[in-house]
């Protein structure tokens, strides 16, 4: 039976001010991400009991505000320096105000959301909740960030009004980068508060939210910890090594490269033991509890202090030798390290020959050997455990699947994986091997169902309490995969698709390997321009690849250069430049929605758009100098033009901005976020950042529709004022100084001189107005000359082989 559902009503409240209590790694990270989302945040911690030597030397007392706020002050100061980059832009730290619990707790009455992030001890959390209740304004939302303590137990002594506005919000670490947020309503939490917080955290914080039940370790950590412990048990029983386990539980099984033991080293073995112990202490005696008993080998590692990366060694250890660094792996049999071995087998190689998680998993499991057997023995137990916990840890199989994908970075969730390997056949195999499959799964199959998910008439349905229920998809989420399944492709070739995304808006999707721009994409841009001008209201540039675009097709350029076919190279550059100008001069509005790595040609494809909707996680930059080239698809031209637009008066000095742009391109700088891309000057006043990457296509589409409703007309052809030969001399002098100081090589200097020539507008007087085509010609000439250099070709070969730049 197929039954539709309807979204519940959402309260009309807003959140603009927050408070975080606890300034440790997690608390500071949460405060940083609230600041990323534009909230002002109060960060409180305890008052220190002793002075530091620095404070004593400065003559401070324990009563001095700098001392009393020390913990929060230090946490905020450390944010811009953190290796995990918790802030989208360093100046966002200004949105966080430090304080302490004794002096500033009364300020909680001024905020809209209070998040407790103190030590994972129930009694301490209970005490904090009573303190919060004493000062907060009625109606203020309060949440706890806990990885597994009962949210109901924390507030059982608080008032009913407090409990109605209280819930768990389990952020995953680091809060900026981990998509998962588990929301755990209490027994008395107002359903409207739960709905509001889900929507707010998805839209404003950019999170993937799942609704979990108040059970030990909630969803992701409950299943993930179970899976890791089952893996350890299989390893011990069948004599697998650390490297063998990681080879069988990594990408071949749709998991991260860090697989099992590298993941444990990264998380921290002490942290993992704490999480596992929490379940062991909370569930009744029986088979489940036995699985969560911490293995003796892990306890031994904890005793020795070998707790992973933070201690320098765990299951792996990196050592330096005469021939560079070497990775050692641990033998749990004798607790000794030896050089890590490379693992290969028929099943692992079969997975490597295909692309995409679904094909990899099938190829891996269907190729029978020692490693696919290990994977199956682990997988079957995790699938059954996930089915056993449905209804206990979450009501929705989709919430369980999402929790594992967003919290543990699995490519497919447990129920998606079960569908992939064949539900009825896999259940038969499990039972033949002596496992007990939950009755509800067998009943589901007996009722004639072969999968937990079903696609029908454009909708996706999921199993829910004995029937298929339509999966609610927010209107802000536009799935290109779903549109393609509905035959919405307008045009297609080997590198790109033009897709109808509704409301007479088309979308150009790159589909080449790594979304690198080659002739096929450029041809599709030309065709898309014709199609959109004739039949659509506008165009969106976006895709659902891992990255938006890593640049132009480097291999193609290198092959053409080495074969000496310079006319062909010249034609490709002209086609690239012409395609970008087609986008810029299109008679209909264009919006680009880049995400993650958007490099080189990817940047040049975005800059002509009327609007750029950056995903918050966008790493944007013109990086061509890393392979010995300069941007030649209009990237230099666009930045010169934007500089001229920002400083239109003939008396305005272009040189400071020109110096900045020159350094940015010459050093191949990339943004660490969409916000930083704007700050670096890649964006204009009309461009913006969207927090939730899943919403970027929708927001770009809305930008196109808005421009169309306003009566869009393309910007007229314009000329750019350039700094000329005087500006070029300044840039080249700076580059010469860098070469003489040993900061750049002779070849870097050659590249820098050619870049300076372009950005300054060539050999013309300062203040000359030049056309866009003139600047494009300068780009093309410089690109062709550099491509002919042996050292540039060496850099290109090194990048293709090693994936990192060569400085020669």
């Amino acid at each position: 039976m197929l039954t539709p559902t309807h979204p519940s009503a959402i309260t009309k409240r807003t959140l603009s001010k927050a408070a975080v209590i606890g300034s440790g790694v997690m608390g500071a990270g949460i405060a940083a991400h609230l600041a990323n989302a534009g909230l002002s945040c109060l960060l409180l911690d305890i008052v220190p009991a002793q002075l530091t030597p620095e404070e004593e030397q400065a003559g401070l007392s324990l009563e001095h505000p700098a001392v009393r706020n020390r913990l929060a002050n230090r946490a905020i100061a450390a944010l811009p320096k953190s290796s995990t980059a918790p802030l989208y832009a360093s100046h966002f730290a200004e949105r966080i105000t430090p304080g302490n619990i004794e002096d500033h707790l009364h300020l909680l009455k001024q905020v809209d959301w209070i998040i407790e992030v103190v030590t994972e001890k129930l009694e301490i959390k209970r005490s904090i909740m009573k303190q919060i209740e004493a000062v907060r304004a009625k109606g203020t939302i309060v949440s706890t960030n806990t990885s597994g303590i009962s949210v109901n137990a924390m507030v059982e002594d608080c008032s009913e009004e407090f409990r109605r506005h209280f819930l768990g919000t389990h952020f995953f670490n680091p809060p900026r980068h981990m998509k998962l947020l588990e929301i755990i309503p209490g027994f008395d939490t107002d359903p409207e508060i739960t709905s509001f917080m889900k929507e707010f955290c998805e839209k404003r914080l950019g999170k993937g939210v799942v609704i979990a039940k108040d059970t030990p370790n909630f969803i992701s950590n409950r299943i993930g910890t179970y899976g890791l412990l089952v893996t350890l048990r299989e390893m011990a029983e069948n004599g697998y090594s650390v490297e063998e386990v990681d080879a069988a539980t990594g990408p071949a099984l749709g998991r991260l490269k860090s697989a099992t033991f590298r993941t444990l080293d990264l998380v921290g073995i002490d942290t993992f033991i704490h999480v596992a112990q929490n379940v062991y202490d909370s569930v009744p005696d029986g088979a489940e509890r036995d699985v969560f008993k911490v293995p003796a080998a892990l306890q031994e590692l904890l005793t020795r202090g070998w707790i992973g990366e933070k201690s320098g060694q765990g299951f792996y250890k990196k050592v330096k030798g005469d021939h560079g660094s070497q990775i050692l792996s641990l033998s749990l049999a004798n607790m000794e390290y030896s050089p890590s071995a490379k693992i290969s087998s028929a099943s692992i190689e079969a997975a490597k020959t295909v692309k995409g998680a679904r094909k990899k998993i099938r190829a891996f499991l269907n190729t029978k050997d020692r490693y696919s057997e290990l994977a199956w023995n682990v997988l079957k137990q995790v699938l059954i455990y996930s089915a056993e916990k449905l209804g206990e840890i979450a009501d929705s199989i989709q919430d369980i699947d999402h929790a594992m994908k967003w919290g543990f970075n699995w490519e497919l969730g447990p129920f998606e994986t079960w569908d992939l390997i064949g539900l009825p056949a896999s259940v038969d195999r499990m039972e033949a091997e002596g496992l007990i499959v939950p009755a509800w799964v067998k009943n589901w199959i007996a009722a004639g169902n072969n999968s937990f998910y079903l696609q029908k008439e454009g909708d996706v349905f999921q199993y829910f309490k004995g029937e298929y229920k339509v999966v609610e998809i927010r209107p802000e989420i536009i799935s290109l995969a779903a549109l393609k399944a509905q035959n919405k492709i307008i045009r297609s070739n080997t590198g790109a698709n033009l897709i109808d995304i509704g409301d007479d808006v088309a979308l150009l999707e790159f589909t080449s390997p790594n979304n690198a721009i080659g002739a096929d994409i450029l041809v599709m841009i030309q065709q898309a321009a014709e199609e959109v001008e004739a039949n659509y209201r506008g165009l969106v540039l976006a895709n659902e690849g891992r990255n938006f675009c890593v640049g132009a097709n480097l291999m193609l350029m290198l092959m053409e250069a080495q074969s000496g076919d310079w006319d062909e190279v010249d034609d490709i550059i002209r086609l690239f430049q012409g395609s970008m100008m087609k986008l810029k001069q299109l008679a209909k509005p264009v919006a680009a929605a880049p995400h993650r790595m958007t490099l080189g040609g990817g940047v040049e494809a975005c800059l002509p758009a009327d609007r750029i909707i950056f995903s918050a996680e966008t790493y944007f930059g013109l990086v061509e100098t890393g392979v010995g080239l300069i941007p030649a698809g209009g990237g230099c031209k666009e930045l010169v033009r934007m500089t001229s637009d920002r400083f239109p008066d003939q008396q305005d000095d272009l040189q400071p901005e020109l110096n900045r742009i020159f350094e940015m391109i010459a050093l191949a700088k990339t943004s660490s976020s969409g916000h930083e891309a704007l700050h670096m000057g890649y964006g204009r006043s009309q461009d913006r950042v969207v927090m939730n990457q899943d919403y970027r296509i929708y927001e770009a589409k809305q930008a196109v529709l808005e421009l169309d409703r306003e009566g869009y007309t393309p910007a007229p052809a314009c000329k750019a004022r350039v700094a000329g030969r005087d500006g070029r001399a300044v840039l080249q002098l700076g580059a010469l100084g860098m070469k003489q100081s040993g900061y750049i090589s002779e070849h870097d200097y050659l590249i820098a001189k050619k870049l300076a020539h372009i950005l300054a507008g060539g050999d013309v007087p300062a203040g000359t107005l030049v056309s866009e085509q003139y600047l494009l010609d300068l780009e093309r000439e410089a690109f062709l000359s550099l491509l002919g250099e042996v050292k540039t070709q060496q850099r290109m070969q090194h990048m293709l082989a090693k994936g990192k730049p060569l400085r020669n």
Side-chain angles (χ1 to χ4, degrees):
M1 178 180 179
L2 307 180
T3 58
T5 59
H6 302 282
S8 59
I10 303 297
T11 53
K12 297 296 183 182
R13 67 168 70 224
T14 59
L15 302 181
S16 60
K17 297 179 181 179
V20 174
I21 301 177
S23 66
V25 171
M26 201 66 198
I30 292 171
H33 198 59
L34 297 177
N36 286 336
L39 277 73
S40 60
C41 186
L42 179 66
L43 182 62
L44 305 182
D45 213 313
I46 61 173
V47 174
Q50 293 181 320
L51 293 172
T52 65
E54 294 80 9
E55 289 166 344
E56 288 181 348
Q57 189 174 1
L60 303 180
S61 71
L62 286 172
E63 299 307 311
H64 194 284
V67 176
R68 296 178 71 80
N69 297 341
R70 181 210 304 156
L71 296 180
N73 274 323
R74 282 187 173 180
I76 296 169
L79 289 174
K81 307 169 189 174
S82 171
S83 60
T84 61
L87 293 165
Y88 289 147
S90 58
H91 66 275
F92 285 0
E94 297 168 5
R95 297 171 180 170
I96 309 173
T97 302
N100 67 78
I101 294 172
E102 291 182 19
D103 301 330
H104 304 112
L105 203 66
H106 67 282
L107 297 177
L108 297 186
K109 67 181 62 176
Q110 300 174 7
V111 306
D112 310 307
W113 180 15
I114 303 165
I115 311 174
E116 168 273 309
V117 198
V118 302
T119 305
E120 285 282 270
K121 294 184 183 297
L122 178 58
E123 290 309 315
I124 294 176
K125 289 182 179 287
R126 279 177 171 165
S127 173
I128 287 291
M129 291 306 161
K130 293 302 292 183
Q131 293 179 63
I132 293 171
E133 184 176 26
V135 297
R136 82 184 248 285
K138 286 189 175 182
T140 302
I141 294 172
V142 181
S143 70
T144 175
N145 183 76
T146 175
S147 60
I149 296 177
S150 169
V151 300
N152 287 293
M154 287 182 208
V155 294
E156 58 188 9
D157 295 330
C158 294
S159 69
E160 191 257 345
E161 189 276 337
F162 185 95
R163 297 196 306 272
R164 282 196 293 109
H165 294 86
F166 175 77
L167 69 169
T169 48
H170 180 207
F171 289 83
F172 275 60
N173 192 30
R176 166 186 167 178
H177 297 284
M178 291 300 291
K179 183 172 181 176
L180 180 62
L181 173 63
E182 292 177 322
I183 285 183
I184 309 100
F187 295 142
D188 300 313
T189 306
D190 186 331
E192 278 204 347
I193 295 295
T194 302
S195 296
F196 168 77
M197 288 300 290
K198 183 176 188 297
E199 178 170 316
F200 179 85
C201 292
E202 286 173 343
K203 189 168 186 177
R204 285 292 300 277
L205 303 188
K207 292 299 171 189
V209 177
V210 299
I211 304 299
K213 296 197 174 185
D214 188 16
T215 56
N217 291 7
F218 312 126
I219 303 174
S220 187
N221 279 341
R222 182 73 168 269
I223 293 175
T225 304
Y226 179 90
L228 288 167
L229 289 167
V230 164
T231 303
L232 283 164
R233 189 168 63 184
E234 288 293 322
M235 174 190 185
E237 290 177 357
N238 295 292
Y240 290 96
S241 69
V242 164
E243 302 99 307
E244 287 179 316
V245 170
D246 275 356
T249 59
L253 200 57
R255 312 285 169 81
L256 289 174
K257 288 183 180 179
S258 56
T260 297
F261 292 113
R262 289 189 190 279
T263 296
L264 284 171
D265 277 354
L266 289 169
V267 169
I269 293 164
D270 54 337
T271 301
F272 177 77
I273 288 174
H274 170 78
V275 173
Q277 191 68 44
N278 186 54
V279 180
Y280 183 81
D281 292 340
S282 304
V283 300
D285 286 334
E288 180 184 12
R289 191 167 193 255
D290 290 343
V291 171
F292 282 94
K293 184 175 182 179
V294 177
L298 290 189
Q299 291 287 8
E300 177 64 20
L301 288 172
L302 182 63
T303 300
R304 294 180 181 222
W306 299 355
I307 56 175
E309 193 168 271
K310 57 190 173 185
S311 69
Q313 64 188 102
F315 291 102
Y316 292 95
K317 179 167 71 170
K318 189 175 185 178
V319 296
K320 290 185 178 179
D322 296 337
H323 303 289
S325 297
Q326 185 180 27
I327 303 296
L328 307 180
S329 62
L330 182 68
S331 167
L332 296 184
N334 58 21
M335 287 293 165
E336 293 181 359
Y337 289 96
S338 60
S340 183
K342 184 175 177 60
I343 305 301
S344 181
S345 77
S347 62
I348 292 169
E349 293 306 312
K352 289 179 180 178
T353 61
V354 293
K355 293 184 177 180
R358 293 178 179 275
K359 292 180 180 178
K360 285 182 180 294
I361 295 169
R362 281 200 193 100
F364 179 48
L365 294 178
N366 289 337
T367 306
K368 306 302 181 186
D369 64 15
R370 170 178 169 81
Y371 300 108
S372 61
E373 180 182 6
L374 167 62
W376 166 252
N377 286 338
V378 170
L379 180 63
K380 67 185 180 182
Q381 295 180 73
V382 172
L383 298 184
I384 288 176
Y385 187 70
S386 301
E388 289 173 346
K389 295 297 114 181
L390 181 66
E392 179 183 334
I393 62 175
D395 286 329
S396 160
I397 64 167
Q398 188 181 49
D399 275 347
I400 292 176
D401 280 345
H402 280 161
M404 300 317 299
K405 291 192 291 184
W406 297 337
F408 274 70
N409 291 302
W410 292 6
E411 291 283 349
L412 300 175
F415 295 98
E416 291 174 324
T417 303
W418 216 335
D419 280 356
L420 175 71
I421 64 176
L423 178 58
S426 62
V427 166
D428 288 344
R429 181 180 175 186
M430 291 171 185
E431 292 189 316
E433 293 173 1
L435 276 71
I436 299 174
V437 177
W440 74 262
V441 176
K442 296 175 66 176
N443 292 338
W444 183 245
I445 296 171
N449 301 297
N450 295 321
S451 64
F452 294 113
Y453 292 96
L454 175 69
Q455 289 192 8
K456 186 173 181 179
E457 298 174 354
D459 286 323
V460 177
F461 295 82
Q462 63 167 314
Y463 169 90
F464 188 78
K465 297 182 178 180
E467 63 181 10
Y468 277 121
K469 171 186 173 183
V470 71
V471 173
E472 295 178 18
I473 299 176
R474 294 186 61 86
E476 294 91 347
I477 297 177
I478 295 176
S479 167
L480 300 185
L483 288 169
K484 287 185 282 188
Q486 297 167 28
N487 298 316
K488 297 294 185 180
I489 294 178
I490 305 164
R491 292 180 182 232
S492 181
N493 68 18
T494 55
N497 294 315
L498 187 64
I499 304 170
D500 186 337
I501 59 172
D503 298 313
D504 294 326
V505 177
L507 179 142
L508 181 62
E509 173 197 35
F510 300 168
T511 60
S512 60
N514 296 315
N515 290 337
I517 297 176
D520 46 7
I521 288 178
L522 298 175
V523 168
M524 182 57 70
I525 288 174
Q526 303 265 348
Q527 294 176 350
E530 296 173 5
E531 184 74 39
V532 169
E533 285 196 339
N535 300 307
Y536 289 86
R537 297 169 69 182
L539 178 67
V540 169
L541 300 179
N543 62 68
E544 293 176 331
R546 176 171 176 77
N547 300 298
F548 177 78
C549 176
V550 298
N553 188 329
L554 204 59
M555 176 64 79
L556 173 64
M557 288 293 180
L558 180 60
M559 289 172 60
E560 296 290 0
Q562 290 178 334
S563 67
D565 196 345
W566 296 108
D567 287 341
E568 181 67 23
V569 175
D570 186 67
D571 287 344
I572 293 172
I573 300 305
R574 289 179 185 274
L575 177 62
F576 199 134
Q577 293 180 342
S579 299
M580 299 305 107
M581 289 301 290
K582 276 273 190 182
L583 292 174
K584 186 176 179 63
Q585 297 167 350
L586 196 67
K588 302 292 179 67
V590 178
H595 68 285
R596 295 186 62 83
M597 288 176 64
T598 305
L599 306 176
V603 171
E604 292 175 309
C606 293
L607 292 179
D610 300 289
R611 297 283 187 277
I612 304 178
I613 309 297
F614 293 95
S615 166
E617 297 295 343
T618 304
Y619 320 126
F620 204 79
L622 295 167
V623 297
E624 285 84 351
T625 58
V627 290
L629 297 167
I630 54 92
C636 296
K637 179 262 296 182
E638 280 298 305
L639 290 178
V640 170
R641 185 194 58 75
M642 289 163 69
T643 299
S644 177
D645 289 347
R646 288 172 184 148
F647 302 95
D649 195 294
Q650 280 288 345
Q651 303 306 312
D652 289 336
D653 185 4
L654 298 174
Q655 197 68 50
E657 180 66 5
L658 198 61
N659 294 346
R660 190 188 68 79
I661 292 170
F662 174 73
E663 179 180 309
M664 187 170 73
I665 300 176
L667 299 181
K669 292 182 178 180
T670 61
S671 72
S672 62
S673 70
H675 289 281
E676 192 178 21
L678 290 174
H679 184 68
M680 290 170 70
Y682 282 116
R684 305 141 302 184
S685 59
Q686 65 266 34
D687 301 328
R688 61 190 184 85
V689 177
V690 61
M691 288 289 288
N692 193 320
Q693 181 171 302
D694 295 338
Y695 293 3
R696 62 196 163 78
I697 295 176
Y698 170 85
E699 295 294 345
K701 177 183 173 182
Q702 296 308 306
V704 165
L705 293 173
E706 179 184 357
L707 287 168
D708 178 68
R709 285 192 296 268
E710 292 172 354
Y712 176 80
T713 54
C718 60
K719 293 192 173 185
R721 186 168 66 92
V722 295
R725 61 180 70 97
D726 294 341
R728 179 185 63 187
V730 172
L731 297 179
Q732 292 183 346
L733 184 62
L736 178 62
M738 293 176 73
K739 181 176 79 76
Q740 291 174 337
S741 65
Y743 190 75
I744 63 174
S745 69
E746 188 70 41
H747 193 54
D748 291 325
Y749 180 53
L750 173 64
I751 299 165
K753 287 195 297 182
K754 291 183 180 294
L755 177 62
H757 183 72
I758 300 165
L759 294 179
D763 190 19
V764 297
T768 299
L769 295 175
V770 299
S771 69
E772 292 186 79
Q773 187 57 55
Y774 170 83
L775 292 169
L776 289 173
D777 290 342
L778 293 182
E779 285 186 5
R780 192 177 67 259
E781 290 164 7
F783 186 95
L784 287 167
S785 66
L786 286 170
L787 187 58
E789 295 282 340
V790 172
K791 288 188 175 181
T792 286
Q793 293 180 20
Q794 290 172 345
R795 290 189 180 191
M796 295 170 75
Q797 287 174 323
H798 191 270
M799 178 63 74
L800 288 167
K802 304 291 186 180
K804 55 186 178 181
L806 169 70
R807 290 299 178 197
N808 54 355

